[in-house]
Amino acid sequence: MQKFKTKSDLSFYLSSLADPLIGFVPTMGALHNGHLALLRQAKKQCSVVVCSIFVNPTQFSNKEDFNSYPNTLSDDITKLEKINCDVLYVPDVSDLYTIDEKTKHYNLNGLDNVMEGKFRKGHFDGVATIIEKFFNIIRPHKAYFGQKDLQQILVVKSLTKQLNLPIEIISVPTIREENGLAMSSRNKLLSPKQIETASMLYKSLKFCKTNKDKFSITNLKNYIKIQFSEQLEVDLEYLEFVDANNLQNISFFQENNNAICIAAYLGGVRLIDNIIF
Ligand code: AMP
């Protein structure tokens, strides 16, 4: 695997390849099987797979969350080598941002005002800023994102369209722990007991899906909120029933493209998940 710390070395290398089909998987490291699923799919569909590991400061509205973000670079490199990732880009902040650089503001068609955007102010401007930079440096043909971050996928698709970039955005299904908890780098910050408790996020989503014909959205939402209020270790931040294409709230289930999205805190660790049906 080729490793690069600077965008100039990386783009020089990529431009030296003869007719590559470049697949790109952006990550913040602390790699788990969810990330590896993205990389495996990219390996199947592309001739050169580039993985980036970069904890992007502009997408964190909470300094503590940024500072406590897990860093396991040498383990990550072992995992990437094992699945034959071709290129790793691990830049310092100074390779991507000038000292006084401000986050750009994007028009994300309202996608950034709800759910994650509402509770993490400026988060998607930060995501769009870094993704635009990565896309310009790497110029991938395909870029892979996890369905766990549904809102991020829609934001990246909207950005790609606005910038008129010839990049296919590919969504990869969520990989889960045995108890249903969506894999996340932040799970490393949870105790075994908290991991067990955290399984209630996905169990709640599945309950709503299973009972979609029996109860109204209002009743399902109230029922799940009560379950969470009885579980003192977990703080529910939001539970939204939305159209999976535009994230607008729905009052009734549609034939398809229903998404239920959830965010909750467990002992200071923020977890998100969703289910689409
Ligand atoms: P992150 O390192 O958390 O920024 O995630 C990098 C990419 O991996 C994003 O596109 C995520 O949506 C994706 N990802 C994270 N967790 C999972 C998971 N459990 N299953 C599938 N994809 C995931």
Side-chain angles (χ1 to χ4, degrees):
M1 182 170 68
Q2 302 281 334
K3 302 185 201 76
F4 298 100
K5 272 200 76 82
T6 64
K7 56 177 183 273
S8 51
D9 287 350
L10 171 65
S11 45
F12 181 74
Y13 172 76
L14 292 173
S15 62
S16 75
L17 301 173
D19 203 19
L21 203 161
I22 300 176
F24 175 45
V25 180
T27 82
M28 300 202 293
L31 300 184
H32 50 67
N33 282 336
H35 298 113
L36 298 185
L38 272 60
L39 287 154
R40 286 196 186 97
Q41 188 158 336
K43 278 298 290 181
K44 276 193 202 142
Q45 298 176 330
C46 305
S47 64
V48 178
V49 172
V50 180
C51 175
S52 64
I53 294 184
F54 180 64
V55 183
N56 174 34
T58 62
Q59 71 189 65
F60 284 80
S61 45
N62 178 337
K63 253 209 148 71
E64 217 172 282
D65 188 22
F66 175 70
N67 289 331
S68 65
Y69 204 84
N71 175 335
T72 59
L73 186 59
S74 63
D75 281 358
D76 292 351
I77 292 176
T78 308
K79 288 178 184 167
L80 290 170
E81 282 176 337
K82 210 165 156 193
I83 64 158
N84 292 320
C85 177
D86 302 286
V87 176
L88 171 61
Y89 176 42
V90 200
D92 289 330
V93 174
S94 60
D95 191 45
L96 291 164
Y97 291 101
T98 57
I99 281 178
D100 49 5
E101 184 171 343
K102 301 253 181 331
T103 311
K104 261 174 82 172
H105 292 292
Y106 293 84
N107 176 358
L108 298 167
N109 301 322
L111 287 169
D112 52 335
N113 295 331
V114 295
M115 301 193 296
E116 292 302 284
K118 186 165 154 197
F119 288 95
R120 302 179 74 188
K121 286 280 173 237
H123 172 67
F124 287 114
D125 277 333
V127 169
T129 300
I130 194 65
I131 291 295
E132 183 178 359
K133 286 176 189 281
F134 281 146
F135 282 178
N136 284 329
I137 298 164
I138 295 165
R139 305 199 168 274
H141 300 87
K142 297 174 192 281
Y144 297 80
F145 294 85
Q147 189 203 296
K148 182 170 89 75
D149 298 281
L150 170 66
Q151 198 166 356
Q152 173 168 274
I153 295 180
L154 296 182
V155 163
V156 172
K157 280 187 174 163
S158 162
L159 176 75
T160 310
K161 202 169 165 193
Q162 280 177 47
L163 299 174
N164 214 4
L165 298 172
I167 303 172
E168 186 185 354
I169 306 302
I170 294 173
S171 168
V172 179
T174 304
I175 304 295
R176 301 180 177 281
E177 304 287 353
E178 245 168 58
N179 70 5
L181 173 64
M183 288 194 179
S184 162
S185 304
R186 290 188 174 87
N187 294 356
K188 293 192 167 73
L189 306 171
L190 299 174
S191 68
K193 183 167 176 288
Q194 285 174 321
I195 288 186
E196 220 24 68
T197 310
S199 68
M200 76 182 283
L201 270 74
Y202 187 55
K203 284 184 184 130
S204 306
L205 298 176
K206 269 205 321 204
F207 177 87
C208 293
K209 179 184 168 187
T210 308
N211 290 288
K212 73 180 174 60
D213 298 325
K214 273 201 212 133
F215 303 109
S216 69
I217 286 181
T218 308
N219 286 348
L220 286 168
K221 202 167 176 174
N222 287 339
Y223 175 75
I224 300 298
K225 280 187 173 172
I226 291 168
Q227 303 289 307
F228 273 88
S229 68
E230 286 170 358
Q231 183 56 262
L232 297 180
E233 301 119 275
V234 192
D235 266 331
L236 181 65
E237 190 168 64
Y238 65 74
L239 172 70
E240 300 291 355
F241 292 64
V242 298
D243 183 316
N245 291 322
N246 57 25
L247 305 184
Q248 293 302 302
N249 281 106
I250 51 172
S251 311
F252 303 97
F253 287 113
Q254 312 168 143
E255 190 84 349
N256 46 37
N257 287 324
N258 303 287
I260 311 177
C261 303
I262 192 167
Y265 279 92
L266 245 126
V269 180
R270 189 168 184 281
L271 303 172
I272 62 169
D273 202 350
N274 64 71
I275 195 166
I276 301 176
F277 52 91

